[in-house]
Amino acid sequence: MKKLLLLLLIVFCMTITVSPATACTTTIVGKDASADGSVLVSHSDDGLGDGRLIYIPAKDHKPGSLRPVFYSHCALDFKPQWGGSEAHRIVTKDRGPGYDTGDAPPNVPLGYIPQVAHTYAYFDANYGIMNEHQVSIGECTDKAKVHPEPAPGKRIFYSSELSRVALERTKTAREAVKLMGELIEKYGYYGTGETLLVADPNEGWVMEMCGYDMNGTGGIWVAQRVPDDKFFVAANQFRIREVREGDPDMMHSTNIFTVARQKGWWDPANGPLDFTSVYGDGEFHHPYYSLRRVWRAQSLAAPSLDLPAWVEGPFTRTYPFAIKPDRKLTVEDLFSIHRDNYEGTEFDLTKGLAAGPFGNPNRFEGQAESVADKEGRLTPLNGEFERPLNIYRCVYAYVNQSRSWLPDAIGGLTWFGPDRPATAVLMPFYAGALDLPAPIQRADLLKFDRGSMWMAFNYVANYAMLKYSYMIKDIHAVRDRFEKTAFAKQQEVESNALALWKNGDEKAARRLLTRYSDNLAGDVLREWWTLSENLYLKYNDGYLNTREGIAQAVFYPAWWLKQVGFEEGPTSYQKKQPAR
């Protein structure tokens, strides 16, 4: 009995000390599949953690300089021995003022690589996002057969730092993929399996990677080009299937076939190497944790395909690698996918008893979700909730635009939404910006900060769960107004910046774009805190409070009352007999 209690205590401690797995959704749209000819990349970072969007300035480096490679929290949870904190992923003077916070121990490098003479400016979060040359990145975590631990001098790279080095050093998606592949092979890979979407104004690639031995060096990677007229989505499971040697639309590590044979994971006699099934280990956590999102995203992009929601197993081929959308997609279309809670389907999370009386789509996850592949359940119940595209623990989401017909400084654009997509406002930040607004670069999930954009959105989103079906309408009214204005002004802002650029005043164009984004972000921050106050007043104590009347009753719907036992309440002085 004592041993059992000790085991339960250990498992319990794991559940409260390990942060949620970063389990994301990411998409890419080819230039011929987008409404305006952009190559689009989207990403929702679905693990509560560091919500900052940081500007990394371009920088010159002295000959012989070394670049430190830091441990990534989102690989295998926070490890204090490598510096930083649970709230802040990087603390260093090495990468510009955004990470020179001094609020936690500085990061300790896992190793170093030779530095280049000049590195490019880029936007960074838990993964690199976009650089000044419109190279754009999205990400999702995948379950591989092996998840090695970091080892200095042996396995020093995870996808986070790989994406940052790529943005620092490359001008095209192909260059970025090749560079990251070389770094994996030379310096080793640790952590979970990963999918990185890599794009530029002309094309988009899906790059997938993993370790293959707990004590090994190097890693495995493969990349496949997304056809220009197609839409691609990944959601925490590898998506590349047959690896084709010599195909100009594929790249891969030199060891991809030999390792698979040596491990006994693949026999060439059985057909081409299927990367998803050979190196992958199915879905995280439970059936349809990944596949349901792939089904939903593809169904929203191309309803005409009439894709089935139910499949035969984790390695189904029901959902193609990439699909042609029914109509050309916009930034708004992509973010609508990320905002989805399966509304209108048999899986609609705004319906049913679990949604409560006010249609709350959020389903808090249990033990298994919080510890990724170190699972151990404390509940005797066997079951799962559906995992939506819009999830309560999303820390940020964005859509990147890369556009070939504009100078990089103007053509590259990140539409960034703090916190979960359904309640976020998409705000535009240009690749040529001289900096990012201060509120976007501030966030600490353990410190209440009215100067933090992430905190404002997270606060409102959490408060909305009290009376979701009512409050979400108020939130969307403000959200939609800001987004409508931003999309409407996009052409004017870019035309003015382009005129300055063509007249030779590139610095003035960059200042214009920077100032525009800064002013918009300031307006959003002020109004979002005002919205939080208005929601508090309007729905105080569960009532509806307006100028038309205080304490207007908002009672529960009859269907919900019936299911939760309202009819069994004290309606008489006689004790009610239990139903037979």
Side-chain angles (χ1 to χ4, degrees):
M1 179 59 71
K2 288 183 178 179
K3 289 182 179 180
L4 177 60
L5 290 174
L6 179 60
L7 177 61
L8 288 173
L9 179 61
I10 292 171
V11 172
F12 175 73
C13 290
M14 288 175 61
T15 71
I16 62 173
T17 59
V18 179
S19 60
T22 302
C24 314
T25 307
T26 188
T27 78
I28 194 166
V29 176
K31 61 184 179 182
D32 294 335
S34 70
D36 66 350
S38 302
V39 178
L40 303 174
V41 169
S42 74
H43 168 59
S44 62
D45 197 71
D46 297 340
L48 183 61
D50 193 339
R52 295 176 297 170
L53 176 63
I54 299 291
Y55 175 76
I56 308 296
K59 195 174 181 181
D60 294 319
H61 306 275
K62 296 178 181 179
S65 297
L66 296 175
R67 184 204 187 277
V69 178
F70 296 133
Y71 172 72
S72 301
H73 297 177
C74 41
L76 295 166
D77 308 318
F78 172 61
K79 296 181 184 293
Q81 66 267 36
W82 300 114
S85 70
E86 289 178 303
H88 286 163
R89 57 185 170 259
I90 294 177
V91 179
T92 183
K93 298 179 183 295
D94 180 64
R95 299 189 191 174
Y99 283 134
D100 187 11
T101 55
D103 57 352
N107 284 71
V108 178
L110 282 167
Y112 296 86
I113 62 173
Q115 185 59 279
V116 294
H118 179 78
T119 49
Y120 306 130
Y122 65 100
F123 301 152
D124 189 36
N126 290 319
Y127 307 84
I129 294 179
M130 176 180 273
N131 74 6
E132 61 179 291
H133 296 292
Q134 302 195 70
V135 178
S136 169
I137 290 179
E139 181 275 345
C140 77
T141 302
D142 306 311
K143 192 178 183 185
K145 283 186 168 67
V146 179
H147 294 171
E149 293 285 332
K154 193 174 182 180
R155 294 182 298 277
I156 70 171
F157 269 108
Y158 184 63
S159 62
S160 300
E161 283 285 76
L162 286 170
S163 68
R164 294 173 184 129
V165 176
L167 293 181
E168 291 168 4
R169 301 184 179 194
T170 65
K171 294 183 178 181
T172 71
R174 285 177 186 259
E175 290 176 357
V177 170
K178 290 178 180 178
L179 174 60
M180 291 189 286
E182 291 168 1
L183 293 172
I184 289 171
E185 295 182 43
K186 185 172 183 179
Y187 294 100
Y189 183 86
Y190 68 90
T192 62
E194 281 285 294
T195 295
L196 290 181
L197 305 189
V198 191
D200 60 30
N202 297 303
E203 62 177 356
W205 288 78
V206 179
M207 182 181 187
E208 300 190 321
M209 63 198 72
C210 62
Y212 61 86
D213 191 288
M214 291 301 289
N215 295 309
T217 59
I220 304 294
W221 65 273
V222 64
Q224 182 171 344
R225 190 179 186 275
V226 177
D228 292 339
D229 63 345
K230 297 293 180 64
F231 164 80
F232 170 89
V233 60
N236 304 129
Q237 187 180 18
F238 290 139
R239 297 274 289 121
I240 294 176
R241 306 307 296 249
E242 283 78 12
V243 180
R244 303 181 295 273
E245 289 189 270
D247 188 327
D249 288 336
M250 293 201 86
M251 294 182 268
H252 57 78
S253 57
T254 56
N255 61 352
I256 195 168
F257 300 109
T258 56
V259 167
R261 288 197 300 269
Q262 290 169 0
K263 290 288 186 180
W265 296 340
W266 172 64
D267 183 347
N270 294 330
L273 190 152
D274 178 342
F275 186 82
T276 295
S277 63
V278 169
Y279 285 102
D281 195 29
E283 302 183 74
F284 272 110
H285 310 310
H286 58 78
Y288 298 105
Y289 184 83
S290 302
L291 291 172
R292 190 75 78 215
R293 282 176 283 155
V294 172
W295 163 78
R296 182 59 167 162
Q298 290 192 345
S299 297
L300 288 169
S304 64
L305 294 177
D306 195 23
L307 294 167
W310 301 96
V311 295
E312 71 280 4
F315 300 114
T316 179
R317 292 178 178 269
T318 302
Y319 310 124
F321 171 76
I323 62 169
K324 188 171 183 177
D326 285 355
R327 59 180 177 81
K328 296 191 175 185
L329 301 172
T330 65
V331 170
E332 300 99 303
D333 291 331
L334 279 197
F335 216 68
S336 292
I337 290 173
H338 286 283
R339 284 169 167 160
D340 187 75
N341 297 296
Y342 304 128
E343 287 93 343
T345 75
E346 62 183 293
F347 315 110
D348 192 336
L349 292 172
T350 66
K351 306 295 184 183
L353 189 60
F358 304 117
N360 181 5
N362 300 295
R363 302 290 185 272
F364 300 129
E365 298 159 326
Q367 156 81 2
E369 303 288 0
S370 66
V371 294
D373 57 351
K374 298 184 291 293
E375 293 174 329
R377 299 169 187 269
L378 294 180
T379 172
L381 298 177
N382 183 22
E384 300 289 351
F385 287 121
E386 291 285 348
R387 198 291 199 195
L389 289 142
N390 174 71
I391 195 166
Y392 67 94
R393 57 174 164 80
C394 179
V395 71
Y396 61 80
Y398 60 82
V399 179
N400 287 339
Q401 282 186 283
S402 297
R403 296 171 288 177
S404 61
W405 62 92
L406 289 167
D408 288 337
I410 304 169
L413 181 56
T414 293
W415 293 89
F416 188 84
D419 200 59
R420 64 209 71 177
T423 51
V425 170
L426 282 175
M427 291 171 277
F429 303 106
Y430 286 88
L434 300 171
D435 203 346
L436 285 167
I440 283 287
Q441 301 191 75
R442 288 172 59 172
D444 186 336
L445 61 89
L446 299 176
K447 179 182 177 181
F448 195 88
D449 180 5
R450 282 188 171 269
S452 165
M453 187 75 74
W454 178 84
M455 185 66 68
F457 278 88
N458 183 259
Y459 182 90
V460 167
N462 273 273
Y463 192 72
M465 287 190 278
L466 288 173
K467 227 177 195 77
Y468 189 87
S469 60
Y470 287 83
M471 293 191 196
I472 197 66
K473 295 174 183 176
D474 297 276
I475 293 170
H476 285 176
V478 182
R479 181 198 76 182
D480 294 349
R481 172 164 49 82
F482 272 114
E483 289 187 358
K484 182 178 180 181
T485 300
F487 285 117
K489 290 195 68 173
Q490 182 179 0
Q491 184 174 355
E492 176 189 347
V493 170
E494 292 172 1
S495 295
N496 291 339
L498 185 60
L500 291 169
W501 194 275
K502 288 180 175 179
N503 286 333
D505 200 345
E506 295 182 7
K507 185 167 286 188
R510 293 178 186 272
R511 284 198 300 266
L512 183 153
L513 296 173
T514 305
R515 185 168 58 251
Y516 166 67
S517 297
D518 196 59
N519 290 339
L520 177 60
D523 291 342
V524 171
L525 181 65
R526 284 189 295 274
E527 186 135 358
W528 221 251
W529 282 121
T530 299
L531 173 61
S532 74
E533 296 167 0
N534 291 341
L535 290 174
Y536 164 74
L537 294 172
K538 186 173 181 179
Y539 299 102
N540 191 18
D541 283 345
Y543 294 112
L544 179 62
N545 304 294
T546 67
R547 295 293 180 187
E548 286 70 43
I550 302 298
Q552 302 174 55
V554 181
F555 201 48
Y556 304 108
W559 68 265
W560 186 84
L561 290 170
K562 190 173 187 67
Q563 291 192 52
V564 298
F566 177 74
E567 294 171 306
E568 304 302 316
T571 57
S572 77
Y573 288 96
Q574 301 299 315
K575 181 179 179 180
K576 292 193 175 182
Q577 299 300 315
R580 292 181 179 273

